[in-house]
Amino acid sequence: QVQLQESGPGLVKSSQTLSLTCTVSGGSISSSFYYWSWIRQPAGKGLEWIGRIYSSGTTNYNPSLKSRVTISADTSKNQFSLKLSSVTAADTAVYYCARDSPLRIVGYYYALDVWGQGTTVTVSS
Amino acid sequence: DIQMTQSPSSLPASIGDRITITCRASQNIGSYLNWYQLRPGTAPKLLIYAASSLQSGVPSRFSGSGSGTDFTLTISSLQPEDFATYYCQHSYSTPLTFGGGTKVEIK
C-alpha cells in the first residue's frame, strides 16, 4: 500500500524559499504512468493544484505559480520535492503531496488517489 | 484554465438524508471529473473518478454522474462519517483545478 508523507519547515520568512519533501513508501516514484503532485489549501479556502512531476522527470506547473515553483525528484531516496520562492503571507497553507494515477488507462483518466496527511506552512513577516 | 463551479457551498443535512452536490465546468471536459472528500485531520480521499466510477473501498452510497459540463455527486443515505467537505476536480488538462467545495453540515 503506497503511503506519502510530507516534511519540511512549518515556518518560513517572507521573501524566502519554501521547501517541502514528500517521501513515498510502498511504491516507486520511478514507476511508469504515475505523476506526483503538490496541492495546497489556505485556511478557509479551497484546493489549489501547484504542479506535478512525471516518472520521466517531466514537470507541469500551475501558470499562476510557475515563475516561483520547482518540483524535482530524488529516485534514490524515493522522494519528490517542492520549492516555492519569494513567499508571502498568501502562501500560508496546508500543503499536500499526492499520487496522480491512471485509474482508467483507456482515455487516460487520472485521479489523485493517494494523498499525504498534509503539512501546515506559515509565512511570517 | 478550466473553471469548476460547485453548488451549494454549504449543505445542512441529517443522518439518512439523500444529498446531491453539483459541479459545473466552464467548458466540455467529457468525463474527466473526480470527486474528493476532505475531513479535518485526515488525508483527502478520492471517492469517484471518471465522473461515475467508484474508487475501490468507497461505500456504494456514493455515486457520481454527468458528462460534458454538468456533474453530480450523490450520497444516498448520509452517515455520520460523511459530514465533511467535498470537492470536484477536472483532469482534462493542466492546470488541474478544483471546485470551491461543498461543506456538508449537521442540520
Side-chain angles (χ1 to χ4, degrees):
Chain A
Q1 182 179 352
V2 175
Q3 293 183 310
L4 281 65
Q5 179 66 59
E6 306 88 350
S7 60
L11 189 63
V12 180
K13 290 187 177 180
S14 183
S15 79
Q16 295 190 341
T17 296
L18 178 160
S19 296
L20 295 175
T21 296
C22 183
T23 300
V24 179
S25 59
S28 171
I29 65 169
S30 299
S31 298
S32 297
F33 304 118
Y34 292 102
Y35 291 93
W36 304 92
S37 281
W38 287 98
I39 302 102
R40 69 181 183 179
Q41 183 176 31
K45 296 188 178 182
L47 297 165
E48 179 180 34
W49 179 77
I50 299 170
R52 66 187 184 184
I53 187 165
Y54 190 57
S55 52
S56 66
T58 301
T59 52
N60 302 121
Y61 298 132
N62 192 323
S64 67
L65 297 168
K66 187 174 183 177
S67 64
R68 299 194 291 130
V69 172
T70 301
I71 296 175
S72 59
D74 185 338
T75 55
S76 67
K77 295 181 179 179
N78 216 32
Q79 297 175 333
F80 63 105
S81 299
L82 168 69
K83 290 189 186 298
L84 182 65
S85 64
S86 304
V87 297
T88 69
D91 296 309
T92 294
V94 176
Y95 285 77
Y96 296 98
C97 57
R99 186 180 74 173
D100 200 359
S101 300
L103 297 183
R104 186 183 295 177
I105 294 292
V106 176
Y108 293 96
Y109 287 92
Y110 275 77
L112 300 159
D113 67 332
V114 183
W115 295 64
Q117 295 275 4
T119 188
T120 299
V121 178
T122 301
V123 177
S124 66
S125 55
Chain B
D1 300 1
I2 298 172
Q3 307 303 316
M4 307 301 295
T5 304
Q6 267 182 256
S7 61
S9 57
S10 177
L11 182 53
S14 301
I15 301 296
D17 283 354
R18 178 185 181 89
I19 66 166
T20 297
I21 299 168
T22 298
C23 179
R24 175 164 289 177
S26 61
Q27 69 178 68
N28 188 338
I29 59 170
S31 296
Y32 291 91
L33 191 284
N34 306 315
W35 290 96
Y36 302 88
Q37 177 192 66
L38 270 71
R39 287 187 292 181
T42 66
K45 180 180 181 180
L46 172 67
L47 302 174
I48 301 286
Y49 65 93
S52 60
S53 294
L54 192 67
Q55 171 67 344
S56 177
V58 174
S60 59
R61 63 180 180 273
F62 291 92
S63 64
S65 65
S67 66
T69 60
D70 294 314
F71 303 87
T72 59
L73 172 71
T74 298
I75 306 176
S76 60
S77 178
L78 203 63
Q79 299 301 300
E81 61 269 29
D82 300 337
F83 290 99
T85 303
Y86 294 85
Y87 290 88
C88 61
Q89 171 245 329
H90 83 81
S91 59
Y92 183 81
S93 61
T94 58
L96 308 181
T97 55
F98 294 83
T102 296
K103 187 173 184 178
V104 178
E105 303 174 303
I106 298 174
K107 185 185 291 184

